[in-house]
Amino acid sequence: MSELQLVTEWDKVFQQSGKVDHRKVTFHNRFGIELAADMYVPKNAEGKLPAIAVCGPFGAVKEQSSGLYAQEMAERGFLTIAFDPSFTGESGPANARYMASADFSTEDYQAAVDFLSVQENVDPEKIGIIGICGWGGMAMNTAALDTRIKATVVSTMYDMSRVAAKGYFDSADTADARFEAKKAYNAQRTEDYRNGSNVMAGGVADVIPEDAPFFVKDYYDYYKTERGYHKRSLNSNAGWAAIGSVSLMNSPLLMYAEEIRSAVMVMHGEKAHSYYMGKEAFEKLQGENKVLVSIPDAVHTDLYDRKDIIPFDQMEEFFTKYLA
């Protein structure tokens, strides 16, 4: 019996499709954490279906972008789940919240594959994953580890380990900068433990200065407006714990990207502030089953929810080919 308290009504930031059946499901990872997910199944589907697990963006919940992707791909014939990672959204545990870890995140994806592999209406030889934003790097790390994954799509990706260790645009890529960051993180750990607190880093600000960088305004336009705001979203509210992502500093996600043998599609907007991460991640990949889709004029959050911009047709073709 699930110990999670799941919302039963439709509370997504996108409209429900009449072409798919939807229900809440739960599954556990090997750390014993119970994860919450939305499952989308094509109406009147028969037999064993190819399946896709979706997660991201980093600091979002399944009621936002990942759910939109999952529902869209279900309309195209795939059984899909969009899940909340450990420590976030409707997933557990209840006593530790808003933490991030390469190890836990990779395990969450593998647990999603575990779950899909044993569903009666899923072909376990036809499982793929989608990672959006910061979960793009997590997805690639998982694809390098889990040979059950036959195809991976990363969309508008971040390599969160690179951002944690080097800062945005690699602006803090020195040993001294990392040392000062570690000092601040560890001082905060001491204070949190002393006070029994979990100080938050803060999500997207409620008020954005006129001179803020464009990418900050881009995030505001999604997370803080009717377009994408959700009450359980970290980015829409108080963000991650202040110490939540520190372990990513020395957990490089793309260490073995060149060893991924399964198919990978990297898709990114050419005007996204994060484009350099997607492009350079693609350059690490080897083999003829790797595809880079660069989308002219698209910014980072365009690939969160702009169905007229997200290349769903190419995604469908890609998954159909490699989950065949």
Side-chain angles (χ1 to χ4, degrees):
M1 180 70 67
S2 173
E3 297 179 359
L4 301 180
Q5 301 298 313
L6 304 180
V7 173
T8 56
E9 69 269 15
W10 183 267
D11 66 344
K12 324 302 184 196
V13 301
F14 52 91
Q15 291 186 343
Q16 187 169 10
S17 171
K19 299 179 181 179
V20 304
D21 293 321
H22 162 266
R23 65 185 176 96
K24 290 285 184 74
V25 298
T26 63
F27 56 95
H28 65 275
N29 68 22
R30 295 304 177 93
F31 295 119
I33 296 173
E34 192 171 15
L35 304 178
D38 286 294
M39 178 182 284
Y40 300 88
V41 184
K43 281 191 180 294
N44 303 315
E46 297 180 356
K48 291 185 177 293
L49 303 175
I52 303 170
V54 192
C55 196
F58 191 74
V61 288
K62 64 188 182 304
E63 289 75 20
Q64 296 173 307
S65 184
S66 61
L68 175 70
Y69 273 66
Q71 180 173 261
E72 178 69 25
M73 296 310 294
E75 287 185 349
R76 295 165 182 262
F78 302 87
L79 183 150
T80 64
I81 58 171
F83 65 91
D84 284 331
S86 296
F87 316 111
T88 69
E90 293 186 300
S91 290
N95 63 343
R97 306 301 292 162
Y98 316 125
M99 299 293 292
S101 159
D103 197 10
F104 277 93
S105 299
T106 302
E107 168 57 27
D108 287 348
Y109 260 128
Q110 291 202 273
V113 175
D114 294 340
F115 172 76
L116 290 173
S117 295
V118 301
Q119 301 307 301
E120 292 185 355
N121 54 348
V122 169
D123 185 335
E125 297 301 318
K126 299 180 179 181
I127 295 177
I129 59 175
I130 298 172
I132 306 164
C133 185
W135 277 78
M138 308 298 186
M140 286 185 63
N141 191 49
T142 311
L145 182 64
D146 198 323
T147 56
R148 298 172 298 174
I149 297 169
K150 300 303 190 293
T152 300
V153 168
V154 297
S155 175
T156 196
M157 74 161 285
Y158 263 47
D159 174 356
M160 292 309 305
S161 58
R162 179 174 180 173
V163 174
K166 301 180 180 182
Y168 277 90
F169 314 111
D170 299 339
S171 59
D173 187 17
T174 68
D176 286 344
R178 279 185 283 276
F179 183 74
E180 292 303 317
K182 292 171 189 176
K183 283 173 60 179
Y185 281 130
N186 291 312
Q188 186 64 58
R189 285 187 68 101
T190 302
E191 287 302 303
D192 283 356
Y193 194 86
R194 175 181 292 116
N195 300 326
S197 62
N198 192 27
V199 171
M200 307 305 292
V204 177
D206 290 326
V207 179
I208 301 296
E210 284 295 324
D211 60 351
F214 172 77
F215 74 90
V216 175
K217 297 177 180 179
D218 189 28
Y219 282 133
Y220 180 94
D221 187 51
Y222 182 77
Y223 287 108
K224 286 294 188 176
T225 68
E226 186 178 352
R227 171 186 169 195
Y229 176 85
H230 196 278
K231 63 183 179 182
R232 289 191 296 276
S233 169
L234 285 72
N235 292 339
S236 290
N237 296 285
W240 294 94
I243 62 168
S245 301
V246 64
S247 69
L248 286 165
M249 293 182 72
N250 59 353
S251 303
L253 292 168
L254 304 185
M255 177 67 74
Y256 295 105
E258 71 278 4
E259 295 186 9
I260 300 174
R261 298 188 182 185
S262 56
V264 179
M265 173 186 284
V266 178
M267 57 190 205
H268 223 120
E270 291 183 353
K271 290 191 175 180
H273 69 279
S274 51
Y275 182 65
Y276 71 100
M277 283 188 272
K279 185 173 181 294
E280 291 178 26
F282 176 76
E283 291 169 355
K284 295 177 182 290
L285 301 175
Q286 304 291 321
E288 296 182 359
N289 57 351
K290 310 300 190 292
V291 182
L292 174 64
V293 179
S294 295
I295 304 163
D297 300 320
V299 299
H300 186 82
T301 68
D302 282 342
L303 271 64
Y304 282 11
D305 64 342
R306 302 298 194 197
K307 293 177 67 173
D308 57 329
I309 294 176
I310 301 169
F312 281 118
D313 288 344
Q314 287 175 268
M315 291 173 62
E316 178 184 358
E317 180 180 355
F318 174 81
F319 279 120
T320 298
K321 177 178 181 179
Y322 290 106
L323 299 185

